[in-house]
Amino acid sequence: MAAGLGFKDFVTGEVLTAADVDGYLMQGTWVFASAAARSAAVTSPQEGNMSYLKDTNSTEYYSGSAWVAIGGASGGMTLIQEQTASANSAIDFTSISASYKQLYLVWSGIYHSTSSTEFGIRLNSDTGSNYMNLGIGFNDGTAADQRGTDTYIQSSGAGRPPFGDGVTSTDLGNTVRGQLLIDNYSSTTKLKPYSGEWSFGKAGVGSRTVYNLGTYNSTSAISSVNIFRITGSATMSNLSNTSIRLYGIS
């Protein structure tokens, strides 16, 4: 695809070349079913190209290195991907583009097939001690200050990971729900601060609630968010009409 040539006032009788068509007439807003369809159709986007994606109702422009969402009436928050857990031991959101300023993960209705299993979150599948967690965890309303360096996002001290510990109830009020905001995720020079909160009912024990402020100690751009099994052998699933959604915020 050619780069846009800007504006041209054509005159009567002028020959319209292929370069004119590519450079002037093809520089409107292209409409695609999804980002994948756009990538298949436009293999060499040029700075200034514009597109509209029907699956996420988002308009984006090409910055020269990435497709960037244009904020509008929606407040600049675009649904990147939605997944529904169904007896999974792990769920990954991968190939996240650098099109946004922040990532926002939201989940609800998560339960486990058996007790004594924990599920957590990692970034870029990073298993190193690069998650600096600081927060407050509540066990049946009793607060405990939690801080530490871990190998995944959690409330340090264990027992309160973001996708639950021993959550076997299928009652909506006891299933896992939460949200996680990651700032400056596409930077290759800065660390990545994050904040989140989540709660669930642990089988035979009681309620768990966490408020977490942390930092991902890496200058690598985040291209994947990974939900994984920390301990045990259970799988996780979503109740009907619930899901896990990843948004990009412009």
PDB file of all heavy atoms in Angstrom, residues 65-93:
ATOM      1  N   SER A  65       4.409   2.824  12.854  1.00  0.00           N
ATOM      2  CA  SER A  65       4.921   1.612  13.505  1.00  0.00           C
ATOM      3  C   SER A  65       3.813   0.745  14.080  1.00  0.00           C
ATOM      4  O   SER A  65       4.026  -0.426  14.353  1.00  0.00           O
ATOM      5  CB  SER A  65       5.901   1.978  14.628  1.00  0.00           C
ATOM      6  OG  SER A  65       5.264   2.779  15.602  1.00  0.00           O
ATOM      7  N   ALA A  66       2.599   1.300  14.287  1.00  0.00           N
ATOM      8  CA  ALA A  66       1.507   0.545  14.894  1.00  0.00           C
ATOM      9  C   ALA A  66       0.178   1.197  14.553  1.00  0.00           C
ATOM     10  O   ALA A  66       0.100   2.400  14.244  1.00  0.00           O
ATOM     11  CB  ALA A  66       1.681   0.470  16.409  1.00  0.00           C
ATOM     12  N   TRP A  67      -0.893   0.402  14.625  1.00  0.00           N
ATOM     13  CA  TRP A  67      -2.244   0.930  14.490  1.00  0.00           C
ATOM     14  C   TRP A  67      -2.657   1.519  15.833  1.00  0.00           C
ATOM     15  O   TRP A  67      -2.582   0.854  16.858  1.00  0.00           O
ATOM     16  CB  TRP A  67      -3.214  -0.163  14.064  1.00  0.00           C
ATOM     17  CG  TRP A  67      -3.042  -0.586  12.635  1.00  0.00           C
ATOM     18  CD1 TRP A  67      -2.371  -1.680  12.172  1.00  0.00           C
ATOM     19  CD2 TRP A  67      -3.546   0.098  11.483  1.00  0.00           C
ATOM     20  NE1 TRP A  67      -2.423  -1.724  10.809  1.00  0.00           N
ATOM     21  CE2 TRP A  67      -3.139  -0.646  10.357  1.00  0.00           C
ATOM     22  CE3 TRP A  67      -4.297   1.261  11.298  1.00  0.00           C
ATOM     23  CZ2 TRP A  67      -3.462  -0.262   9.053  1.00  0.00           C
ATOM     24  CZ3 TRP A  67      -4.626   1.636  10.002  1.00  0.00           C
ATOM     25  CH2 TRP A  67      -4.213   0.890   8.893  1.00  0.00           C
ATOM     26  N   VAL A  68      -3.101   2.762  15.835  1.00  0.00           N
ATOM     27  CA  VAL A  68      -3.417   3.492  17.060  1.00  0.00           C
ATOM     28  C   VAL A  68      -4.887   3.873  17.050  1.00  0.00           C
ATOM     29  O   VAL A  68      -5.391   4.441  16.069  1.00  0.00           O
ATOM     30  CB  VAL A  68      -2.553   4.761  17.194  1.00  0.00           C
ATOM     31  CG1 VAL A  68      -2.905   5.520  18.474  1.00  0.00           C
ATOM     32  CG2 VAL A  68      -1.072   4.397  17.176  1.00  0.00           C
ATOM     33  N   ALA A  69      -5.575   3.553  18.153  1.00  0.00           N
ATOM     34  CA  ALA A  69      -7.003   3.853  18.236  1.00  0.00           C
ATOM     35  C   ALA A  69      -7.230   5.350  18.357  1.00  0.00           C
ATOM     36  O   ALA A  69      -6.469   6.067  19.014  1.00  0.00           O
ATOM     37  CB  ALA A  69      -7.615   3.135  19.437  1.00  0.00           C
ATOM     38  N   ILE A  70      -8.281   5.825  17.708  1.00  0.00           N
ATOM     39  CA  ILE A  70      -8.682   7.217  17.804  1.00  0.00           C
ATOM     40  C   ILE A  70      -9.816   7.305  18.809  1.00  0.00           C
ATOM     41  O   ILE A  70     -10.865   6.677  18.639  1.00  0.00           O
ATOM     42  CB  ILE A  70      -9.144   7.763  16.446  1.00  0.00           C
ATOM     43  CG1 ILE A  70      -8.007   7.685  15.435  1.00  0.00           C
ATOM     44  CG2 ILE A  70      -9.651   9.190  16.579  1.00  0.00           C
ATOM     45  CD1 ILE A  70      -8.411   8.074  14.034  1.00  0.00           C
ATOM     46  N   GLY A  71      -9.628   8.055  19.893  1.00  0.00           N
ATOM     47  CA  GLY A  71     -10.658   8.177  20.908  1.00  0.00           C
ATOM     48  C   GLY A  71     -11.873   8.880  20.353  1.00  0.00           C
ATOM     49  O   GLY A  71     -11.792   9.814  19.575  1.00  0.00           O
ATOM     50  N   GLY A  72     -13.071   8.435  20.773  1.00  0.00           N
ATOM     51  CA  GLY A  72     -14.309   9.032  20.308  1.00  0.00           C
ATOM     52  C   GLY A  72     -15.334   9.022  21.403  1.00  0.00           C
ATOM     53  O   GLY A  72     -15.023   9.152  22.585  1.00  0.00           O
ATOM     54  N   ALA A  73     -16.601   8.821  21.029  1.00  0.00           N
ATOM     55  CA  ALA A  73     -17.689   8.848  21.998  1.00  0.00           C
ATOM     56  C   ALA A  73     -17.565   7.751  23.027  1.00  0.00           C
ATOM     57  O   ALA A  73     -18.102   7.847  24.128  1.00  0.00           O
ATOM     58  CB  ALA A  73     -19.019   8.728  21.260  1.00  0.00           C
ATOM     59  N   SER A  74     -16.873   6.664  22.678  1.00  0.00           N
ATOM     60  CA  SER A  74     -16.727   5.552  23.606  1.00  0.00           C
ATOM     61  C   SER A  74     -15.727   5.858  24.720  1.00  0.00           C
ATOM     62  O   SER A  74     -15.532   5.061  25.617  1.00  0.00           O
ATOM     63  CB  SER A  74     -16.248   4.307  22.847  1.00  0.00           C
ATOM     64  OG  SER A  74     -14.973   4.536  22.290  1.00  0.00           O
ATOM     65  N   GLY A  75     -15.062   7.011  24.659  1.00  0.00           N
ATOM     66  CA  GLY A  75     -14.093   7.351  25.686  1.00  0.00           C
ATOM     67  C   GLY A  75     -12.720   6.797  25.402  1.00  0.00           C
ATOM     68  O   GLY A  75     -11.841   6.858  26.246  1.00  0.00           O
ATOM     69  N   GLY A  76     -12.510   6.275  24.190  1.00  0.00           N
ATOM     70  CA  GLY A  76     -11.201   5.768  23.825  1.00  0.00           C
ATOM     71  C   GLY A  76     -10.885   4.395  24.383  1.00  0.00           C
ATOM     72  O   GLY A  76      -9.723   4.007  24.409  1.00  0.00           O
ATOM     73  N   MET A  77     -11.907   3.635  24.851  1.00  0.00           N
ATOM     74  CA  MET A  77     -11.666   2.281  25.355  1.00  0.00           C
ATOM     75  C   MET A  77     -12.173   1.284  24.322  1.00  0.00           C
ATOM     76  O   MET A  77     -13.347   1.300  23.953  1.00  0.00           O
ATOM     77  CB  MET A  77     -12.357   2.061  26.699  1.00  0.00           C
ATOM     78  CG  MET A  77     -11.944   0.750  27.363  1.00  0.00           C
ATOM     79  SD  MET A  77     -12.353   0.671  29.127  1.00  0.00           S
ATOM     80  CE  MET A  77     -14.096   0.324  29.051  1.00  0.00           C
ATOM     81  N   THR A  78     -11.278   0.435  23.856  1.00  0.00           N
ATOM     82  CA  THR A  78     -11.581  -0.511  22.784  1.00  0.00           C
ATOM     83  C   THR A  78     -11.444  -1.948  23.287  1.00  0.00           C
ATOM     84  O   THR A  78     -10.447  -2.290  23.924  1.00  0.00           O
ATOM     85  CB  THR A  78     -10.628  -0.297  21.597  1.00  0.00           C
ATOM     86  OG1 THR A  78     -10.745   1.042  21.124  1.00  0.00           O
ATOM     87  CG2 THR A  78     -10.934  -1.264  20.469  1.00  0.00           C
ATOM     88  N   LEU A  79     -12.429  -2.768  23.011  1.00  0.00           N
ATOM     89  CA  LEU A  79     -12.342  -4.182  23.370  1.00  0.00           C
ATOM     90  C   LEU A  79     -11.341  -4.867  22.446  1.00  0.00           C
ATOM     91  O   LEU A  79     -11.535  -4.926  21.233  1.00  0.00           O
ATOM     92  CB  LEU A  79     -13.704  -4.853  23.246  1.00  0.00           C
ATOM     93  CG  LEU A  79     -13.735  -6.358  23.548  1.00  0.00           C
ATOM     94  CD1 LEU A  79     -13.349  -6.636  24.995  1.00  0.00           C
ATOM     95  CD2 LEU A  79     -15.117  -6.934  23.243  1.00  0.00           C
ATOM     96  N   ILE A  80     -10.247  -5.347  23.015  1.00  0.00           N
ATOM     97  CA  ILE A  80      -9.234  -6.063  22.235  1.00  0.00           C
ATOM     98  C   ILE A  80      -9.657  -7.505  22.009  1.00  0.00           C
ATOM     99  O   ILE A  80      -9.622  -8.017  20.895  1.00  0.00           O
ATOM    100  CB  ILE A  80      -7.866  -6.016  22.952  1.00  0.00           C
ATOM    101  CG1 ILE A  80      -7.362  -4.572  23.049  1.00  0.00           C
ATOM    102  CG2 ILE A  80      -6.843  -6.880  22.228  1.00  0.00           C
ATOM    103  CD1 ILE A  80      -6.100  -4.426  23.870  1.00  0.00           C
ATOM    104  N   GLN A  81     -10.072  -8.174  23.090  1.00  0.00           N
ATOM    105  CA  GLN A  81     -10.486  -9.575  22.969  1.00  0.00           C
ATOM    106  C   GLN A  81     -11.311  -9.986  24.181  1.00  0.00           C
ATOM    107  O   GLN A  81     -11.071  -9.518  25.292  1.00  0.00           O
ATOM    108  CB  GLN A  81      -9.264 -10.491  22.837  1.00  0.00           C
ATOM    109  CG  GLN A  81      -9.620 -11.941  22.525  1.00  0.00           C
ATOM    110  CD  GLN A  81      -8.389 -12.829  22.368  1.00  0.00           C
ATOM    111  OE1 GLN A  81      -7.261 -12.391  22.559  1.00  0.00           O
ATOM    112  NE2 GLN A  81      -8.595 -14.080  22.047  1.00  0.00           N
ATOM    113  N   GLU A  82     -12.279 -10.852  23.946  1.00  0.00           N
ATOM    114  CA  GLU A  82     -13.090 -11.431  25.017  1.00  0.00           C
ATOM    115  C   GLU A  82     -12.945 -12.947  24.965  1.00  0.00           C
ATOM    116  O   GLU A  82     -13.027 -13.546  23.888  1.00  0.00           O
ATOM    117  CB  GLU A  82     -14.552 -11.038  24.866  1.00  0.00           C
ATOM    118  CG  GLU A  82     -15.464 -11.629  25.927  1.00  0.00           C
ATOM    119  CD  GLU A  82     -16.897 -11.141  25.800  1.00  0.00           C
ATOM    120  OE1 GLU A  82     -17.296 -10.775  24.672  1.00  0.00           O
ATOM    121  OE2 GLU A  82     -17.616 -11.119  26.810  1.00  0.00           O
ATOM    122  N   GLN A  83     -12.712 -13.569  26.121  1.00  0.00           N
ATOM    123  CA  GLN A  83     -12.625 -15.026  26.191  1.00  0.00           C
ATOM    124  C   GLN A  83     -13.527 -15.543  27.301  1.00  0.00           C
ATOM    125  O   GLN A  83     -13.757 -14.853  28.309  1.00  0.00           O
ATOM    126  CB  GLN A  83     -11.187 -15.478  26.448  1.00  0.00           C
ATOM    127  CG  GLN A  83     -10.210 -15.090  25.344  1.00  0.00           C
ATOM    128  CD  GLN A  83      -8.934 -15.907  25.382  1.00  0.00           C
ATOM    129  OE1 GLN A  83      -8.971 -17.137  25.482  1.00  0.00           O
ATOM    130  NE2 GLN A  83      -7.799 -15.229  25.309  1.00  0.00           N
ATOM    131  N   THR A  84     -14.016 -16.751  27.127  1.00  0.00           N
ATOM    132  CA  THR A  84     -14.854 -17.415  28.122  1.00  0.00           C
ATOM    133  C   THR A  84     -14.166 -18.702  28.543  1.00  0.00           C
ATOM    134  O   THR A  84     -13.932 -19.585  27.706  1.00  0.00           O
ATOM    135  CB  THR A  84     -16.247 -17.724  27.556  1.00  0.00           C
ATOM    136  OG1 THR A  84     -16.869 -16.509  27.135  1.00  0.00           O
ATOM    137  CG2 THR A  84     -17.119 -18.385  28.618  1.00  0.00           C
ATOM    138  N   ALA A  85     -13.827 -18.808  29.824  1.00  0.00           N
ATOM    139  CA  ALA A  85     -13.148 -20.002  30.318  1.00  0.00           C
ATOM    140  C   ALA A  85     -14.110 -21.183  30.341  1.00  0.00           C
ATOM    141  O   ALA A  85     -15.274 -21.042  30.733  1.00  0.00           O
ATOM    142  CB  ALA A  85     -12.604 -19.747  31.722  1.00  0.00           C
ATOM    143  N   SER A  86     -13.624 -22.325  29.925  1.00  0.00           N
ATOM    144  CA  SER A  86     -14.424 -23.549  29.934  1.00  0.00           C
ATOM    145  C   SER A  86     -13.486 -24.713  30.222  1.00  0.00           C
ATOM    146  O   SER A  86     -12.889 -25.289  29.317  1.00  0.00           O
ATOM    147  CB  SER A  86     -15.137 -23.742  28.592  1.00  0.00           C
ATOM    148  OG  SER A  86     -15.896 -24.935  28.578  1.00  0.00           O
ATOM    149  N   ALA A  87     -13.323 -25.023  31.505  1.00  0.00           N
ATOM    150  CA  ALA A  87     -12.427 -26.094  31.959  1.00  0.00           C
ATOM    151  C   ALA A  87     -10.998 -25.861  31.466  1.00  0.00           C
ATOM    152  O   ALA A  87     -10.346 -26.774  30.959  1.00  0.00           O
ATOM    153  CB  ALA A  87     -12.938 -27.469  31.524  1.00  0.00           C
ATOM    154  N   ASN A  88     -10.499 -24.656  31.638  1.00  0.00           N
ATOM    155  CA  ASN A  88      -9.142 -24.292  31.210  1.00  0.00           C
ATOM    156  C   ASN A  88      -8.171 -24.331  32.382  1.00  0.00           C
ATOM    157  O   ASN A  88      -8.515 -23.953  33.494  1.00  0.00           O
ATOM    158  CB  ASN A  88      -9.110 -22.894  30.624  1.00  0.00           C
ATOM    159  CG  ASN A  88      -9.910 -22.754  29.348  1.00  0.00           C
ATOM    160  OD1 ASN A  88     -11.025 -22.271  29.372  1.00  0.00           O
ATOM    161  ND2 ASN A  88      -9.339 -23.177  28.240  1.00  0.00           N
ATOM    162  N   SER A  89      -6.937 -24.706  32.110  1.00  0.00           N
ATOM    163  CA  SER A  89      -5.868 -24.581  33.097  1.00  0.00           C
ATOM    164  C   SER A  89      -5.105 -23.284  32.888  1.00  0.00           C
ATOM    165  O   SER A  89      -4.364 -22.852  33.764  1.00  0.00           O
ATOM    166  CB  SER A  89      -4.908 -25.769  33.001  1.00  0.00           C
ATOM    167  OG  SER A  89      -4.314 -25.836  31.719  1.00  0.00           O
ATOM    168  N   ALA A  90      -5.305 -22.656  31.729  1.00  0.00           N
ATOM    169  CA  ALA A  90      -4.653 -21.381  31.423  1.00  0.00           C
ATOM    170  C   ALA A  90      -5.412 -20.694  30.296  1.00  0.00           C
ATOM    171  O   ALA A  90      -6.046 -21.353  29.463  1.00  0.00           O
ATOM    172  CB  ALA A  90      -3.201 -21.596  31.012  1.00  0.00           C
ATOM    173  N   ILE A  91      -5.342 -19.372  30.275  1.00  0.00           N
ATOM    174  CA  ILE A  91      -5.909 -18.567  29.190  1.00  0.00           C
ATOM    175  C   ILE A  91      -4.925 -17.447  28.892  1.00  0.00           C
ATOM    176  O   ILE A  91      -4.435 -16.787  29.811  1.00  0.00           O
ATOM    177  CB  ILE A  91      -7.282 -17.982  29.565  1.00  0.00           C
ATOM    178  CG1 ILE A  91      -8.342 -19.084  29.567  1.00  0.00           C
ATOM    179  CG2 ILE A  91      -7.687 -16.869  28.607  1.00  0.00           C
ATOM    180  CD1 ILE A  91      -9.731 -18.602  29.910  1.00  0.00           C
ATOM    181  N   ASP A  92      -4.639 -17.231  27.613  1.00  0.00           N
ATOM    182  CA  ASP A  92      -3.671 -16.218  27.215  1.00  0.00           C
ATOM    183  C   ASP A  92      -4.310 -15.196  26.275  1.00  0.00           C
ATOM    184  O   ASP A  92      -5.053 -15.559  25.361  1.00  0.00           O
ATOM    185  CB  ASP A  92      -2.478 -16.864  26.501  1.00  0.00           C
ATOM    186  CG  ASP A  92      -1.692 -17.793  27.396  1.00  0.00           C
ATOM    187  OD1 ASP A  92      -1.357 -17.375  28.516  1.00  0.00           O
ATOM    188  OD2 ASP A  92      -1.425 -18.937  26.981  1.00  0.00           O
ATOM    189  N   PHE A  93      -3.996 -13.941  26.512  1.00  0.00           N
ATOM    190  CA  PHE A  93      -4.290 -12.869  25.568  1.00  0.00           C
ATOM    191  C   PHE A  93      -2.946 -12.503  24.941  1.00  0.00           C
ATOM    192  O   PHE A  93      -2.067 -11.960  25.619  1.00  0.00           O
ATOM    193  CB  PHE A  93      -4.894 -11.660  26.289  1.00  0.00           C
ATOM    194  CG  PHE A  93      -6.275 -11.906  26.845  1.00  0.00           C
ATOM    195  CD1 PHE A  93      -6.440 -12.457  28.113  1.00  0.00           C
ATOM    196  CD2 PHE A  93      -7.409 -11.587  26.102  1.00  0.00           C
ATOM    197  CE1 PHE A  93      -7.703 -12.682  28.631  1.00  0.00           C
ATOM    198  CE2 PHE A  93      -8.679 -11.815  26.618  1.00  0.00           C
ATOM    199  CZ  PHE A  93      -8.829 -12.359  27.884  1.00  0.00           C
TER     200      PHE A  93
END
